[in-house]
Coordinates of all heavy atoms in Angstrom, one line a residue:
M1 N 44.5 -23.5 -17.3 CA 43.4 -23.1 -16.4 C 42.5 -24.3 -16.3 O 42.2 -25.0 -17.3 CB 42.6 -22.0 -17.1 CG 41.5 -21.4 -16.3 SD 41.0 -19.8 -17.1 CE 39.4 -19.6 -16.2
A2 N 42.0 -24.5 -15.1 CA 41.2 -25.6 -14.8 C 39.8 -25.4 -15.2 O 39.3 -24.3 -15.3 CB 41.2 -25.9 -13.2
K3 N 39.2 -26.5 -15.5 CA 37.7 -26.5 -15.9 C 36.9 -26.2 -14.7 O 37.1 -26.6 -13.6 CB 37.3 -28.0 -16.4 CG 35.9 -28.1 -16.8 CD 35.6 -29.5 -17.1 CE 34.0 -29.7 -17.1 NZ 33.6 -31.1 -16.9
K4 N 35.9 -25.4 -15.0 CA 34.9 -24.9 -13.9 C 34.1 -26.2 -13.6 O 33.6 -26.9 -14.5 CB 34.1 -23.8 -14.3 CG 34.9 -22.5 -14.4 CD 33.9 -21.3 -14.8 CE 34.7 -20.0 -14.8 NZ 33.8 -18.9 -15.0
M5 N 33.8 -26.3 -12.3 CA 33.0 -27.4 -11.8 C 31.7 -26.8 -11.1 O 31.8 -25.7 -10.6 CB 33.7 -28.2 -10.8 CG 35.1 -28.8 -11.3 SD 34.9 -30.0 -12.6 CE 34.4 -31.4 -11.7
Y6 N 30.6 -27.5 -11.3 CA 29.4 -27.0 -10.7 C 28.7 -28.1 -9.9 O 28.9 -29.3 -10.1 CB 28.4 -26.6 -11.8 CG 29.0 -25.6 -12.7 CD1 29.8 -25.8 -13.8 CD2 28.7 -24.2 -12.4 CE1 30.4 -24.8 -14.6 CE2 29.3 -23.2 -13.2 CZ 30.1 -23.5 -14.3 OH 30.6 -22.5 -15.1
D7 N 27.9 -27.6 -8.9 CA 27.0 -28.4 -8.1 C 25.6 -28.1 -8.4 O 25.2 -27.0 -8.5 CB 27.3 -28.1 -6.6 CG 28.7 -28.7 -6.1 OD1 29.0 -29.7 -6.5 OD2 29.3 -28.0 -5.2
V8 N 24.9 -29.2 -8.6 CA 23.4 -29.1 -8.8 C 22.7 -29.6 -7.6 O 22.9 -30.7 -7.1 CB 23.0 -30.0 -10.0 CG1 21.5 -29.8 -10.3 CG2 23.8 -29.7 -11.3
N9 N 21.9 -28.7 -7.1 CA 21.1 -29.0 -5.8 C 19.7 -29.0 -6.1 O 19.2 -28.0 -6.7 CB 21.5 -28.1 -4.7 CG 22.9 -28.2 -4.3 OD1 23.4 -29.2 -3.9 ND2 23.6 -27.1 -4.4
I10 N 18.9 -30.0 -5.7 CA 17.5 -30.1 -6.0 C 16.8 -30.1 -4.6 O 17.0 -30.9 -3.7 CB 17.1 -31.4 -6.7 CG1 17.8 -31.4 -8.1 CG2 15.6 -31.4 -6.9 CD1 17.6 -32.6 -8.9
N11 N 15.9 -29.1 -4.4 CA 15.2 -28.9 -3.2 C 14.0 -29.9 -3.3 O 13.0 -29.6 -4.0 CB 14.7 -27.5 -3.0 CG 14.0 -27.3 -1.7 OD1 13.3 -28.2 -1.2 ND2 14.1 -26.1 -1.2
R12 N 14.1 -31.0 -2.6 CA 13.0 -32.1 -2.7 C 11.7 -31.6 -2.1 O 10.7 -32.2 -2.5 CB 13.5 -33.3 -1.9 CG 14.8 -33.8 -2.4 CD 14.7 -34.5 -3.7 NE 16.0 -35.0 -4.1 CZ 16.3 -35.4 -5.3 NH1 15.5 -35.2 -6.3 NH2 17.5 -35.8 -5.6
N13 N 11.7 -30.5 -1.3 CA 10.4 -30.0 -0.8 C 9.6 -29.3 -1.8 O 8.4 -29.2 -1.8 CB 10.7 -29.2 0.4 CG 11.2 -29.9 1.6 OD1 10.8 -31.0 1.8 ND2 12.1 -29.2 2.3
F14 N 10.4 -28.7 -2.9 CA 9.7 -27.9 -3.9 C 9.4 -28.8 -5.1 O 8.5 -28.5 -5.9 CB 10.5 -26.7 -4.3 CG 10.7 -25.7 -3.3 CD1 11.7 -24.7 -3.4 CD2 9.9 -25.6 -2.2 CE1 11.8 -23.7 -2.5 CE2 10.0 -24.6 -1.2 CZ 11.0 -23.7 -1.3
C15 N 10.3 -29.8 -5.4 CA 10.2 -30.6 -6.6 C 8.9 -31.4 -6.7 O 8.5 -32.0 -5.8 CB 11.4 -31.5 -6.7 SG 11.4 -32.6 -8.2
K16 N 8.2 -31.3 -7.8 CA 7.0 -32.0 -8.1 C 7.2 -33.2 -9.0 O 6.3 -33.8 -9.6 CB 5.9 -31.1 -8.7 CG 5.5 -30.1 -7.7 CD 4.4 -29.2 -8.3 CE 4.1 -28.0 -7.4 NZ 3.5 -26.9 -8.1
K17 N 8.4 -33.5 -9.4 CA 8.8 -34.6 -10.3 C 8.2 -34.4 -11.7 O 7.7 -35.4 -12.2 CB 8.5 -35.9 -9.7 CG 9.1 -36.2 -8.3 CD 8.8 -37.5 -7.7 CE 8.1 -37.2 -6.5 NZ 7.5 -38.2 -5.8
C18 N 8.2 -33.2 -12.3 CA 7.6 -33.0 -13.5 C 8.5 -33.6 -14.6 O 8.0 -33.9 -15.8 CB 7.4 -31.6 -13.8 SG 8.9 -30.5 -13.9
G19 N 9.8 -33.7 -14.5 CA 10.7 -34.3 -15.4 C 11.3 -33.3 -16.4 O 12.1 -33.7 -17.3
I20 N 11.0 -32.1 -16.3 CA 11.6 -31.1 -17.3 C 13.1 -31.0 -17.1 O 13.8 -31.0 -18.1 CB 11.0 -29.7 -17.0 CG1 9.5 -29.7 -17.4 CG2 11.7 -28.6 -17.8 CD1 8.7 -28.4 -17.1
C21 N 13.6 -31.1 -15.9 CA 15.1 -31.0 -15.7 C 15.8 -32.1 -16.4 O 16.9 -31.9 -17.1 CB 15.4 -31.0 -14.2 SG 14.8 -32.3 -13.3
Y22 N 15.4 -33.4 -16.2 CA 16.2 -34.4 -16.9 C 15.9 -34.6 -18.3 O 16.6 -35.1 -19.1 CB 16.0 -35.8 -16.2 CG 14.6 -36.3 -15.8 CD1 13.9 -36.9 -16.8 CD2 14.2 -36.2 -14.5 CE1 12.6 -37.4 -16.4 CE2 13.0 -36.7 -14.2 CZ 12.2 -37.3 -15.1 OH 11.0 -37.8 -14.8
W23 N 14.8 -34.0 -18.8 CA 14.5 -34.0 -20.2 C 15.4 -32.9 -20.9 O 15.8 -33.1 -22.0 CB 13.0 -33.6 -20.5 CG 12.6 -33.5 -21.9 CD1 12.4 -34.6 -22.8 CD2 12.5 -32.3 -22.6 NE1 12.1 -34.0 -24.0 CE2 12.1 -32.6 -23.9 CE3 12.6 -30.9 -22.3 CZ2 11.9 -31.7 -24.9 CZ3 12.3 -30.0 -23.3 CH2 12.0 -30.4 -24.6
I24 N 15.6 -31.8 -20.3 CA 16.3 -30.7 -20.9 C 17.8 -30.7 -20.8 O 18.5 -30.0 -21.5 CB 15.7 -29.3 -20.4 CG1 16.0 -28.2 -21.4 CG2 16.2 -29.0 -19.0 CD1 15.2 -26.9 -21.1
C25 N 18.3 -31.4 -19.8 CA 19.7 -31.4 -19.4 C 20.6 -32.0 -20.6 O 20.4 -33.1 -21.0 CB 20.0 -32.2 -18.2 SG 21.7 -32.2 -17.7
P26 N 21.4 -31.2 -21.2 CA 22.2 -31.6 -22.4 C 23.3 -32.6 -22.1 O 23.7 -33.4 -22.9 CB 22.9 -30.3 -22.8 CG 23.0 -29.5 -21.7 CD 21.7 -29.8 -20.9
T27 N 23.8 -32.7 -20.8 CA 24.8 -33.6 -20.4 C 24.3 -34.8 -19.7 O 25.1 -35.7 -19.2 CB 25.9 -32.9 -19.6 OG1 25.3 -32.4 -18.4 CG2 26.6 -31.8 -20.4
K28 N 23.0 -34.8 -19.4 CA 22.4 -35.9 -18.6 C 23.0 -36.0 -17.2 O 23.1 -37.1 -16.7 CB 22.4 -37.3 -19.3 CG 21.7 -37.2 -20.7 CD 20.3 -36.9 -20.5 CE 19.6 -36.7 -21.9 NZ 18.5 -35.9 -21.9
T29 N 23.3 -34.8 -16.6 CA 23.7 -34.8 -15.3 C 22.5 -35.2 -14.4 O 22.7 -35.9 -13.4 CB 24.2 -33.4 -14.9 OG1 25.3 -33.0 -15.7 CG2 24.6 -33.3 -13.4
I30 N 21.3 -34.7 -14.8 CA 20.1 -35.0 -14.0 C 19.4 -36.1 -14.8 O 19.2 -36.0 -16.0 CB 19.2 -33.8 -13.9 CG1 20.0 -32.7 -13.2 CG2 17.9 -34.2 -13.1 CD1 19.1 -31.4 -13.1
V31 N 19.1 -37.3 -14.2 CA 18.5 -38.4 -14.8 C 17.2 -38.8 -14.1 O 17.0 -38.4 -12.9 CB 19.4 -39.6 -14.9 CG1 20.7 -39.2 -15.9 CG2 19.9 -40.1 -13.5
K32 N 16.4 -39.5 -14.8 CA 15.2 -39.9 -14.2 C 15.4 -41.1 -13.2 O 16.0 -42.1 -13.6 CB 14.1 -40.3 -15.2 CG 12.8 -40.8 -14.7 CD 11.9 -41.2 -15.9 CE 10.5 -41.5 -15.4 NZ 9.6 -41.9 -16.5
G33 N 15.0 -40.9 -12.0 CA 15.2 -41.9 -11.0 C 13.9 -42.7 -10.7 O 13.0 -42.6 -11.5
E34 N 13.9 -43.3 -9.6 CA 12.8 -44.1 -9.1 C 11.6 -43.2 -8.9 O 11.6 -42.1 -8.4 CB 13.1 -44.8 -7.8 CG 12.1 -45.8 -7.5 CD 12.5 -46.6 -6.2 OE1 13.7 -47.0 -6.1 OE2 11.7 -46.9 -5.3
L35 N 10.4 -43.7 -9.5 CA 9.1 -42.9 -9.4 C 9.2 -41.5 -10.0 O 8.5 -40.6 -9.7 CB 8.6 -42.8 -8.0 CG 8.4 -44.1 -7.3 CD1 8.1 -43.9 -5.8 CD2 7.3 -44.9 -8.0
G36 N 10.1 -41.4 -11.0 CA 10.2 -40.0 -11.8 C 11.0 -39.0 -11.1 O 11.1 -37.8 -11.5
R37 N 11.6 -39.4 -9.9 CA 12.4 -38.4 -9.1 C 13.7 -38.2 -9.8 O 14.4 -39.0 -10.2 CB 12.6 -39.1 -7.7 CG 13.3 -38.2 -6.8 CD 13.5 -38.9 -5.5 NE 14.3 -38.2 -4.6 CZ 14.6 -38.5 -3.4 NH1 14.0 -39.5 -2.8 NH2 15.4 -37.8 -2.6
P38 N 14.0 -36.8 -10.0 CA 15.3 -36.5 -10.5 C 16.5 -36.9 -9.6 O 16.4 -36.7 -8.5 CB 15.2 -35.0 -10.7 CG 14.2 -34.5 -9.8 CD 13.2 -35.6 -9.6
E39 N 17.5 -37.5 -10.3 CA 18.7 -37.9 -9.5 C 19.9 -37.4 -10.2 O 19.9 -37.2 -11.4 CB 18.8 -39.5 -9.6 CG 17.6 -40.2 -8.9 CD 17.5 -40.0 -7.4 OE1 18.6 -39.8 -6.8 OE2 16.4 -40.1 -6.8
I40 N 21.0 -37.2 -9.4 CA 22.2 -36.7 -9.9 C 23.3 -37.7 -9.6 O 23.9 -37.6 -8.6 CB 22.5 -35.3 -9.4 CG1 21.4 -34.4 -9.6 CG2 23.8 -34.7 -9.9 CD1 21.3 -33.1 -8.8
P41 N 23.6 -38.6 -10.5 CA 24.6 -39.7 -10.2 C 26.0 -39.2 -10.2 O 26.9 -39.6 -9.6 CB 24.4 -40.7 -11.2 CG 23.6 -40.1 -12.3 CD 22.8 -38.9 -11.7
D42 N 26.2 -38.1 -11.1 CA 27.6 -37.6 -11.3 C 27.6 -36.1 -11.4 O 27.4 -35.6 -12.5 CB 28.3 -38.3 -12.4 CG 29.8 -37.8 -12.6 OD1 30.3 -37.2 -11.7 OD2 30.4 -38.3 -13.6
Q43 N 27.9 -35.3 -10.4 CA 27.9 -33.9 -10.3 C 29.0 -33.4 -11.3 O 28.7 -32.3 -11.9 CB 28.2 -33.3 -8.9 CG 27.2 -33.6 -8.0 CD 26.1 -32.5 -7.8 OE1 26.2 -31.5 -8.6 NE2 25.1 -32.6 -7.1
D44 N 30.0 -34.1 -11.5 CA 31.1 -33.6 -12.4 C 30.7 -33.4 -13.9 O 31.4 -32.9 -14.7 CB 32.3 -34.5 -12.4 CG 32.9 -34.4 -10.9 OD1 32.6 -33.5 -10.2 OD2 33.7 -35.4 -10.6
K45 N 29.6 -34.0 -14.3 CA 29.1 -33.9 -15.7 C 28.5 -32.6 -16.0 O 28.4 -32.1 -17.1 CB 28.1 -35.0 -16.0 CG 28.7 -36.4 -16.1 CD 27.7 -37.5 -16.2 CE 27.0 -37.5 -17.5 NZ 26.0 -38.6 -17.6
C46 N 28.1 -31.8 -15.0 CA 27.4 -30.5 -15.1 C 28.4 -29.5 -15.8 O 29.5 -29.3 -15.4 CB 26.9 -30.0 -13.8 SG 26.0 -28.5 -13.9
I47 N 27.9 -28.8 -16.8 CA 28.7 -27.8 -17.5 C 28.2 -26.4 -17.1 O 28.8 -25.4 -17.7 CB 28.6 -27.9 -19.0 CG1 27.2 -27.9 -19.6 CG2 29.3 -29.2 -19.4 CD1 27.0 -27.8 -21.0
G48 N 27.3 -26.3 -16.2 CA 26.8 -24.9 -15.8 C 26.0 -24.2 -16.8 O 26.0 -22.9 -16.7
C49 N 25.2 -24.8 -17.6 CA 24.5 -24.1 -18.6 C 23.2 -23.4 -18.0 O 22.6 -22.5 -18.6 CB 24.1 -25.0 -19.7 SG 22.9 -26.3 -19.3
L50 N 22.8 -23.9 -16.8 CA 21.6 -23.4 -16.1 C 20.3 -23.6 -16.8 O 19.2 -23.1 -16.4 CB 21.8 -21.9 -15.8 CG 23.0 -21.4 -15.1 CD1 22.9 -19.9 -14.9 CD2 23.0 -22.1 -13.7
M51 N 20.3 -24.5 -17.8 CA 19.0 -24.8 -18.5 C 18.0 -25.4 -17.5 O 16.8 -25.1 -17.5 CB 19.3 -25.7 -19.7 CG 19.9 -25.0 -20.8 SD 20.3 -26.1 -22.2 CE 18.7 -26.6 -22.8
C52 N 18.4 -26.3 -16.6 CA 17.5 -27.0 -15.7 C 16.9 -26.0 -14.7 O 15.8 -25.9 -14.4 CB 18.2 -28.1 -14.9 SG 19.7 -27.6 -14.1
E53 N 17.8 -25.1 -14.1 CA 17.5 -24.1 -13.2 C 16.4 -23.1 -13.8 O 15.4 -22.8 -13.1 CB 18.7 -23.3 -12.7 CG 18.4 -22.3 -11.6 CD 19.6 -21.7 -11.1 OE1 20.7 -22.4 -10.8 OE2 19.6 -20.4 -10.8
N54 N 16.7 -22.7 -15.0 CA 15.8 -21.7 -15.6 C 14.5 -22.3 -16.1 O 13.4 -21.6 -16.1 CB 16.5 -21.1 -16.9 CG 17.6 -20.2 -16.4 OD1 17.6 -19.6 -15.4 ND2 18.7 -20.1 -17.2
A55 N 14.5 -23.6 -16.4 CA 13.2 -24.3 -16.8 C 12.3 -24.8 -15.7 O 11.1 -25.1 -15.9 CB 13.6 -25.4 -17.8
C56 N 12.9 -25.0 -14.5 CA 12.1 -25.6 -13.4 C 11.0 -24.7 -13.0 O 11.2 -23.5 -12.6 CB 13.0 -25.8 -12.2 SG 12.2 -26.6 -10.8
P57 N 9.7 -25.2 -13.2 CA 8.6 -24.3 -12.8 C 8.4 -24.2 -11.3 O 7.6 -23.3 -10.8 CB 7.4 -25.1 -13.4 CG 7.9 -26.5 -13.4 CD 9.4 -26.4 -13.7
D58 N 9.1 -25.0 -10.5 CA 8.9 -25.0 -9.0 C 10.1 -24.3 -8.3 O 10.1 -24.3 -7.1 CB 8.8 -26.5 -8.5 CG 7.6 -27.1 -9.2 OD1 6.6 -26.5 -9.3 OD2 7.8 -28.3 -9.6
F59 N 11.0 -23.8 -9.1 CA 12.3 -23.1 -8.5 C 13.0 -24.0 -7.6 O 13.4 -23.6 -6.5 CB 11.9 -21.8 -7.9 CG 11.2 -20.8 -8.8 CD1 9.8 -20.7 -8.7 CD2 11.9 -20.1 -9.7 CE1 9.1 -19.8 -9.5 CE2 11.2 -19.3 -10.5 CZ 9.8 -19.1 -10.5
A60 N 13.0 -25.3 -7.9 CA 13.6 -26.3 -7.0 C 15.1 -26.7 -7.3 O 15.7 -27.4 -6.5 CB 12.8 -27.6 -7.1
I61 N 15.6 -26.1 -8.3 CA 17.0 -26.4 -8.7 C 17.9 -25.2 -8.6 O 17.6 -24.1 -9.0 CB 17.0 -26.9 -10.2 CG1 16.2 -28.1 -10.3 CG2 18.5 -27.2 -10.6 CD1 16.1 -28.7 -11.7
D62 N 19.1 -25.4 -8.0 CA 20.1 -24.3 -7.8 C 21.4 -24.9 -8.3 O 21.8 -26.0 -7.9 CB 20.2 -24.0 -6.3 CG 21.3 -22.9 -6.1 OD1 21.3 -21.9 -6.9 OD2 22.1 -23.1 -5.2
V63 N 21.9 -24.3 -9.3 CA 23.3 -24.6 -9.8 C 24.2 -23.6 -9.4 O 24.0 -22.4 -9.6 CB 23.2 -24.7 -11.4 CG1 24.6 -25.1 -12.0 CG2 22.2 -25.7 -11.9
S64 N 25.3 -24.0 -8.7 CA 26.3 -23.1 -8.3 C 27.7 -23.6 -8.6 O 28.0 -24.8 -8.7 CB 26.2 -22.9 -6.7 OG 26.3 -24.2 -6.1
E65 N 28.6 -22.7 -8.9 CA 30.0 -23.0 -9.2 C 30.7 -23.4 -7.9 O 30.6 -22.8 -6.9 CB 30.7 -21.8 -9.9 CG 32.1 -22.1 -10.3 CD 32.7 -20.9 -11.0 OE1 32.0 -19.9 -11.4 OE2 33.9 -21.0 -11.3
R66 N 31.5 -24.5 -8.1 CA 32.3 -24.9 -6.9 C 33.5 -24.0 -6.8 O 34.0 -23.5 -7.7 CB 32.8 -26.4 -7.2 CG 31.8 -27.4 -7.1 CD 32.5 -28.8 -7.3 NE 31.5 -29.7 -7.7 CZ 31.8 -30.9 -8.2 NH1 33.1 -31.2 -8.4 NH2 30.9 -31.7 -8.6
K67 N 33.9 -23.8 -5.5 CA 35.1 -23.0 -5.2 C 36.2 -23.8 -5.6 O 36.4 -25.0 -5.4 CB 35.1 -22.7 -3.7 CG 33.9 -21.9 -3.2 CD 33.9 -20.5 -3.8 CE 32.7 -19.7 -3.2 NZ 32.4 -18.6 -4.0
A68 N 37.2 -23.1 -6.2 CA 38.5 -23.8 -6.6 C 39.3 -24.2 -5.4 O 39.4 -23.4 -4.5 CB 39.2 -22.9 -7.6
V69 N 39.8 -25.4 -5.5 CA 40.7 -25.8 -4.4 C 42.1 -25.8 -4.9 O 42.4 -26.4 -5.9 CB 40.3 -27.3 -4.0 CG1 41.3 -27.8 -2.9 CG2 38.9 -27.3 -3.4
K70 N 43.0 -25.0 -4.3 CA 44.4 -25.0 -4.8 C 45.1 -26.1 -4.3 O 45.1 -26.5 -3.1 CB 45.0 -23.6 -4.3 CG 44.4 -22.5 -5.0 CD 45.2 -21.2 -4.7 CE 44.5 -20.0 -5.5 NZ 45.3 -18.9 -5.4
E71 N 45.9 -26.7 -5.1 CA 46.7 -27.9 -4.7 C 48.2 -27.4 -4.6 O 48.7 -26.6 -5.4 CB 46.7 -28.9 -5.8 CG 45.3 -29.6 -6.0 CD 45.3 -30.6 -7.1 OE1 46.4 -31.1 -7.4 OE2 44.2 -30.9 -7.5
N72 N 48.7 -27.8 -3.5 CA 50.2 -27.5 -3.3 C 51.1 -28.6 -3.8 O 51.0 -29.7 -3.5 CB 50.5 -27.3 -1.8 CG 49.8 -26.1 -1.2 OD1 49.5 -25.1 -1.9 ND2 49.5 -26.2 0.1
V73 N 51.7 -28.2 -4.9 CA 52.6 -29.2 -5.6 C 54.0 -28.9 -5.3 O 54.5 -27.8 -5.3 CB 52.3 -29.2 -7.1 CG1 53.2 -30.3 -7.8 CG2 50.9 -29.5 -7.4

């Protein structure tokens, strides 16, 4: 069975750059970028724990499971 993959989306219109998301992320999928802006350099590191989504005071983060792509072998 394949590992589940997740996409982390940050709504830049809602985000106030408080830093909670990159402070709480256990896999460092979200990291501190320029001027404290949260950045996601590698989506594949996300384990789907939803800690960032639940902790965000601005409701700016959405974590969703990627749809499985079937490979024809």
Side-chain angles (χ1 to χ4, degrees):
M1 185 166 162
K3 175 186 165 200
K4 290 185 180 183
M5 304 294 281
Y6 298 90
D7 286 321
V8 181
N9 298 299
I10 299 174
N11 184 330
R12 304 287 180 198
N13 294 322
F14 293 166
C15 179
K16 294 179 188 157
K17 300 179 240 171
C18 67
I20 293 172
C21 56
Y22 50 78
W23 178 79
I24 202 167
C25 181
T27 60
K28 300 301 178 206
T29 300
I30 305 174
V31 297
K32 183 177 183 178
E34 191 173 318
L35 300 174
R37 180 180 173 173
E39 300 290 336
I40 306 164
D42 184 7
Q43 292 273 357
D44 293 341
K45 290 171 66 176
C46 181
I47 59 173
C49 68
L50 302 178
M51 289 176 66
C52 59
E53 185 176 318
N54 292 328
C56 181
D58 302 316
F59 304 102
I61 301 175
D62 178 49
V63 178
S64 57
E65 186 176 346
R66 289 186 201 162
K67 301 291 182 199
V69 177
K70 292 188 177 190
E71 296 179 20
N72 293 331
V73 180

